Amino acid sequence: MNATRQFLLAGVALLACATPSLAHAQTPEEAEPQARVSDSAGEIVVTARRREETAQDVPIAISVVGGDQIDNTGSFNVGRLQQLTPTLQFYTTNPRNSAVNIRGIGAPFGLTNDGIEQGVGIYVDDVYYSRVASATFDFLDVAQIEVLRGPQGTLYGKNTTAGAINITTNQPTFDFEGKAEVSIGNLDFKQAKAAISGPLSDTLAARIAVSATDRRGTIYNVTTDRWIQSQDNIGLRGQLLWRPTDNLDITLTGDWNRQAAVCCGSVFVRTGTTQRPLNRQYAALAAAQGYTVVSTNPYDRLTDLDANLNAGNEIGGAALRIKWDVGPGTLTSITAWRYWDWQPENDRDFTGLPIVTKSQNPSQQDQYTQELRYNYTGDRFDFVVGGFAYYQRIDTQGTESHGPASSRWTLNPGNVPAGSSGCGPSVTNQLACTPSVLNGLTAINTQYLKNTSPALYGQLSWKVTDSLTIQPGVRLNYDKKDGFYQRKVFAGDGTPVVFGPTDPVTTARLSVFAPQEISPSFSDWNFSYDLTLTYKVAQDLLLYATYAKTFKSGGINQNGVPTDAQNNPILDAATVKPESVQHFEAGLKSEFWDRRATFNLAAFRTDIKNYQANVNNGQFGVLRGYLANAGKVRTQGVEADFTVQPSERFNAYVSGAYTDAKYVQFVDAPCPPELSGGTTAGAGQTPGAPGVPGALSPANCDISGQRLPGVSKWAFSFGAEVNLPSSLFDQDGQFYLGYDGSYRSDFSSNPSPSDYTWIEGYSLSNFRAGFRTDEGFNVYAWVRNAFDEDYLEQLSVGPGNTGLIVGVPGDPRTYGLTLAGRF
């Protein structure tokens, strides 16, 4: 794979260098246009409502990022895209455990559970990508990205209660064209992209694109003498367009993407006192085994994780899209198959001790979708009506093992004085001091999910007058999920560990890994609808208001469920109810100063009943997390976008959002670490104060009124570019200087807010300066995180209620040079 990547990097570099001479092979007028921006009015054309229209005419809060802006700002995946769109949040500890949220909602914060849907739909050329792991890959030959905020279920065939990311790639052309780009930078950064398109015959055109990214990691592992959190991505996309008549396009697309990064790890951030006995908290446990963390400063970017790390991630698929202008409208069919292959290895104890020596849950997914829709645009009525069918199968095989340090770290030796070794004469003390009790203890997990979901949807736009439009939409959806989960447990000598024997060793092992087998299933019908009123006050001023009643599909727990006193699975917890969503939004879209300036404003409120939340268990492997329904959450706020281009020499933008997202009612939530780890308070007993060692702990906590995780109250994106006409090496063009910045205020990095897991607000600044020609040649230097801001992307609570807090620091300052060209 390294040889292939290096070959592609070198090949694209040569193509990029050759591009200036090729740029004159064809004039811009001869090429079929691929841009989504009208030269005459500077209007941005979008397909948010499944038809082409200008962004300012769409009554949706929408952020549009063009392909050039993606390249110029280094936003080559969804994680970086969030710096340009303030209400988009992306969180990841590895590709599988990733989540995309909009306005604070979309997916539970924490470990991913395959048994539920994402609330933010990701679509590439009309194809639904069900696994959010796809968001970690590089964008490949992208023309434009639309981030649609708010429910979109009546136009998009799968759950989009929080919004959608609609990605459009460049399509095959019947005129020859191409582009190439190569970048180098510090941290051994190398990136190359190329695409070429043209005719194979009068009716057949093809396009092929390739992308490769390679970068050294940003965290150094002293145990393995390797940099981790690296980037090692490669992607290919090929398209064939057959146009037998002027009113029929048939496009066949195939793509393949692979990541082979040394990933994913964390660094020590801090410890916080829990309610565990003091001798069972992190400092005492580490001292008892003579362990000292490599660094207590997370920005030293040092770790000592001792388990194997891997994040092998591969996706691909094929799609057949047919667009037929038939009758007064257009009939579109999209048939697609996608697969996902996930090969992880993790260190789940977050330390350099051999506590959890193996944690891996490889998964394989196959997904099939079929969408059929008809679009009509008339003088008084526009409509879209369609059907969508979806089938998904996921198979997962898990292996988790403990090592020789686990007994001492994991098992509670009983009441011993703080500072003592904990190896007294009692049975529980001796178990904790006998490595063989847990050394080699292994859980083998087998699970699968079958997910079937057909839907019918439609949306009508009735132009009552030239100014007033009424737009109702409906969707009828059926969901069926069938799952299987089995965990078998074996001692280090291979002996099965089962319930029944009551000897202390078996009891100790079962407290870490418990066998379980369940076959959860869920099915339900749902009907959702929305209504939007649009009023055009003037040619360049649009007002709109929307009400939506929608849902997110129910789900099943694919990672096991809690057990009762007899160790039987609590089957009532095997399924989670659908989220019921009510959404209100009002906004305006305006242009002024001869359309040199644009100002858009949106105010929203979303109420969700039966919010699907992750409930986490404090033990290592008994049950790390499962899904449950919180009573109610609410997110509300205001968003504003302003752009201005007073002349061809200068443009600027600023986007901002205030988001107030909180749990309205969640009375039985998991407790934060400062209220965990002690003996559970019984009837008539009062839990102790937070962070008091040895205090009683509540069974659960009421976090009603507290902020949802991952949401900053304030978020901004801003930037500007200035250029000056000039020439370089006898080529006419312009020198330019650009800046892009972002800011977000503090946010919680734990499902239940904790004093230990708030991430401070931070601001990032990116600069670029270069020279470009009208023919498409562009060379520029760039620096990202220019002021080397220290910030954390995410914090995680270590297992076992020991008080350990680890995190992932954001990228340091990076800089480099990019050479690009078009022909």
Side-chain angles (χ1 to χ4, degrees):
M1 180 58 61
N2 285 339
T4 302
R5 186 182 65 253
Q6 295 297 336
F7 175 78
L8 287 169
L9 287 166
V12 175
L14 290 173
L15 184 58
C17 293
T19 297
S21 61
L22 293 172
H24 300 288
Q26 186 176 27
T27 65
E29 289 79 8
E30 294 171 326
E32 181 172 310
Q34 288 290 310
R36 311 291 293 173
V37 180
S38 167
D39 293 332
S40 59
E43 295 174 333
I44 299 174
V45 178
V46 299
T47 57
R49 293 195 294 178
R50 301 302 200 185
R51 57 183 182 268
E52 290 193 355
E53 53 194 336
T54 64
Q56 290 301 104
D57 289 334
V58 178
I60 299 172
I62 180 172
S63 300
V64 184
V65 183
D68 288 341
Q69 188 179 11
I70 291 170
D71 293 337
N72 291 339
T73 58
S75 303
F76 54 82
N77 58 30
V78 172
R80 295 204 173 186
L81 184 65
Q82 67 177 338
Q83 295 181 21
L84 301 177
T85 52
T87 52
L88 177 69
Q89 298 100 25
F90 179 74
Y91 312 102
T92 181
T93 54
N94 62 46
R96 182 178 182 270
N97 292 325
S98 301
V100 179
N101 284 355
I102 292 176
R103 295 171 172 172
I105 56 175
F109 193 91
L111 288 171
T112 299
N113 192 312
D114 293 330
I116 64 163
E117 315 291 342
Q118 298 287 326
V120 177
I122 299 176
Y123 295 81
V124 179
D125 291 338
D126 289 338
V127 176
Y128 174 62
Y129 282 42
S130 62
R131 303 312 307 165
V132 75
S134 61
T136 65
F137 284 93
D138 293 356
F139 296 137
L140 184 58
D141 197 22
V142 167
Q144 181 168 288
I145 298 176
E146 303 162 15
V147 179
L148 285 60
R149 309 190 292 271
Q152 308 296 326
T154 62
L155 275 185
Y156 288 80
K158 196 57 183 166
N159 299 290
T160 52
T161 51
I165 299 175
N166 187 29
I167 300 174
T168 303
T169 69
N170 292 306
Q171 298 299 297
T173 61
F174 281 95
D175 290 295
F176 180 72
E177 68 173 36
K179 63 178 182 178
E181 175 185 305
V182 62
S183 301
I184 57 172
N186 65 327
L187 305 183
D188 297 327
F189 176 74
K190 297 178 286 292
Q191 185 178 70
K193 305 175 186 177
I196 192 166
S197 179
L200 301 180
S201 72
D202 291 341
T203 59
L204 190 66
R207 187 180 189 95
I208 187 168
V210 60
S211 173
T213 302
D214 186 55
R215 194 191 73 178
R216 194 205 75 189
T218 56
I219 298 174
Y220 183 69
N221 189 337
V222 299
T223 300
T224 61
D225 191 27
R226 298 183 73 185
W227 289 94
I228 65 172
Q229 311 301 90
S230 65
Q231 294 175 359
D232 187 350
N233 305 340
I234 185 172
L236 297 168
R237 173 184 290 270
Q239 299 178 85
L240 283 174
L241 169 62
W242 182 39
R243 184 174 291 164
T245 66
D246 290 340
N247 62 353
L248 178 63
D249 280 2
I250 300 176
T251 305
L252 177 65
T253 301
D255 69 278
W256 174 82
N257 297 265
R258 183 172 180 178
Q259 293 177 334
V262 182
C263 187
C264 297
S266 56
V267 298
F268 178 97
V269 176
R270 66 176 68 97
T271 58
T273 310
T274 71
Q275 293 179 324
R276 245 190 169 199
L278 193 60
N279 67 296
R280 302 299 302 150
Q281 300 204 31
Y282 176 85
L285 291 170
Q289 301 202 46
Y291 172 69
T292 303
V293 68
V294 61
S295 173
T296 58
N297 180 359
Y299 304 114
D300 286 342
R301 301 179 183 273
L302 297 174
T303 191
D304 58 357
L305 302 178
D306 61 323
N308 288 337
L309 299 179
N310 185 33
N313 194 19
E314 183 177 315
I315 64 170
L320 179 67
R321 182 175 57 193
I322 302 172
K323 296 185 70 174
W324 184 21
D325 294 333
V326 55
T330 301
L331 181 67
T332 304
S333 171
I334 305 105
T335 306
W337 161 74
R338 298 208 60 75
Y339 79 93
W340 171 56
D341 188 6
W342 169 232
Q343 298 290 334
E345 292 181 279
N346 302 293
D347 192 325
R348 285 296 177 193
D349 60 55
F350 303 130
T351 74
L353 289 170
I355 302 169
V356 179
T357 55
K358 181 180 289 186
S359 178
Q360 54 193 44
N361 288 276
S363 293
Q364 307 84 40
Q365 178 210 243
D366 279 289
Q367 167 197 316
Y368 302 87
T369 57
Q370 173 63 56
E371 185 166 7
L372 187 67
R373 66 173 182 264
Y374 189 76
N375 296 59
Y376 168 80
T377 300
D379 293 334
R380 285 298 176 190
F381 293 96
D382 302 336
F383 69 82
V384 179
V385 62
F388 178 82
Y390 168 83
Y391 176 78
Q392 175 193 45
R393 167 88 187 220
I394 302 178
D395 290 277
T396 302
Q397 312 82 34
T399 304
E400 299 173 78
S401 298
H402 280 232
S406 182
S407 296
R408 189 70 169 268
W409 190 278
T410 307
L411 299 178
N412 191 341
N415 250 339
V416 296
S420 70
S421 67
C423 295
S426 71
V427 173
T428 53
N429 289 11
Q430 289 302 311
L431 287 175
C433 295
T434 306
S436 62
V437 173
L438 296 186
N439 187 24
L441 182 70
T442 300
I444 306 295
N445 304 327
T446 302
Q447 57 181 283
Y448 70 75
L449 168 71
K450 298 177 182 178
N451 184 359
T452 304
S453 178
L456 296 173
Y457 62 90
Q459 191 177 89
L460 171 71
S461 294
W462 175 28
K463 303 166 189 173
V464 181
T465 69
D466 291 341
S467 299
L468 177 64
T469 300
I470 300 176
Q471 178 185 287
V474 295
R475 176 185 174 201
L476 179 65
N477 194 93
Y478 175 74
D479 284 288
K480 181 175 176 58
K481 295 182 174 71
D482 295 300
F484 174 77
Y485 172 84
Q486 180 191 72
R487 167 173 280 187
K488 294 183 177 180
V489 183
F490 301 91
D493 61 2
T495 304
V497 179
V498 297
F499 289 108
T502 57
D503 61 281
V505 172
T506 299
T507 300
R509 289 169 174 167
L510 289 171
S511 71
V512 177
F513 288 144
Q516 186 177 113
E517 182 174 318
I518 59 172
S519 298
S521 63
F522 170 88
S523 62
D524 196 18
W525 287 89
N526 275 286
F527 178 73
S528 58
Y529 54 89
D530 57 39
L531 178 65
T532 298
L533 301 180
T534 305
Y535 189 76
K536 202 151 193 177
V537 179
Q539 181 180 1
D540 296 325
L541 177 60
L542 180 77
L543 304 179
Y544 69 92
T546 296
Y547 170 75
K549 178 69 172 70
T550 185
F551 76 101
K552 189 172 81 171
S553 167
I556 58 177
N557 270 302
Q558 277 295 100
N559 298 335
V561 295
T563 56
D564 59 21
Q566 288 74 44
N567 300 310
N568 297 312
I570 301 174
L571 297 181
D572 287 344
T575 61
V576 287
K577 300 175 183 176
E579 293 182 352
S580 178
V581 182
Q582 287 198 84
H583 174 76
F584 305 86
E585 185 163 337
L588 67 84
K589 296 193 170 187
S590 65
E591 292 179 287
F592 52 95
W593 196 12
D594 292 331
R595 295 191 174 181
R596 299 177 204 170
T598 300
F599 177 72
N600 297 336
L601 184 69
F604 65 91
R605 175 178 173 130
T606 304
D607 295 289
I608 303 177
K609 292 183 179 179
N610 294 319
Y611 178 75
Q612 295 166 356
N614 256 322
V615 178
N616 294 307
N617 185 293
Q619 297 301 315
F620 275 106
V622 177
L623 185 64
R624 283 210 306 271
Y626 63 99
L627 293 168
N629 290 109
K632 185 178 180 181
V633 304
R634 183 219 67 207
T635 178
Q636 61 185 8
V638 178
E639 302 161 343
D641 299 281
F642 175 72
T643 63
V644 62
Q645 186 172 1
S647 73
E648 295 181 359
R649 304 292 159 236
F650 178 78
N651 66 78
Y653 70 92
V654 59
S655 300
Y658 170 78
T659 307
D660 176 20
K662 70 177 184 180
Y663 297 103
V664 176
Q665 184 182 28
F666 197 2
V667 298
D668 54 353
C671 291
E674 56 265 43
L675 284 170
S676 302
T679 301
T680 302
Q685 293 181 308
T686 301
V692 175
L696 295 174
S697 295
N700 44 55
C701 289
D702 184 353
I703 60 173
S704 303
Q706 298 195 48
R707 200 192 307 181
L708 287 177
V711 187
S712 297
K713 282 195 172 183
W714 295 97
F716 296 94
S717 299
F718 37 86
E721 183 180 287
V722 61
N723 66 73
L724 180 67
S726 187
S727 61
L728 183 67
F729 302 126
D730 295 326
Q731 295 288 319
D732 292 333
Q734 52 189 232
F735 287 98
Y736 63 92
L737 174 66
Y739 168 79
D740 297 280
S742 63
Y743 167 79
R744 64 180 303 185
S745 61
D746 66 348
F747 60 95
S748 168
S749 190
N750 195 56
S752 297
S754 165
D755 289 341
Y756 308 147
T757 57
W758 283 94
I759 292 181
E760 296 179 356
Y762 58 86
S763 179
L764 301 177
S765 293
N766 307 323
F767 293 91
R768 63 186 180 278
F771 177 81
R772 59 185 171 225
T773 68
D774 296 336
E775 287 78 18
F777 174 71
N778 190 6
V779 57
Y780 61 96
W782 46 266
V783 56
R784 295 165 189 144
N785 189 8
F787 303 113
D788 206 17
E789 176 92 356
D790 287 333
Y791 68 101
L792 292 165
E793 291 185 340
Q794 192 165 338
L795 291 172
S796 299
V797 178
N801 297 310
T802 67
L804 173 63
I805 307 296
V806 299
V808 178
D811 283 354
R813 179 193 296 120
T814 57
Y815 51 85
L817 182 73
T818 294
L819 176 68
R822 300 175 185 269
F823 56 91

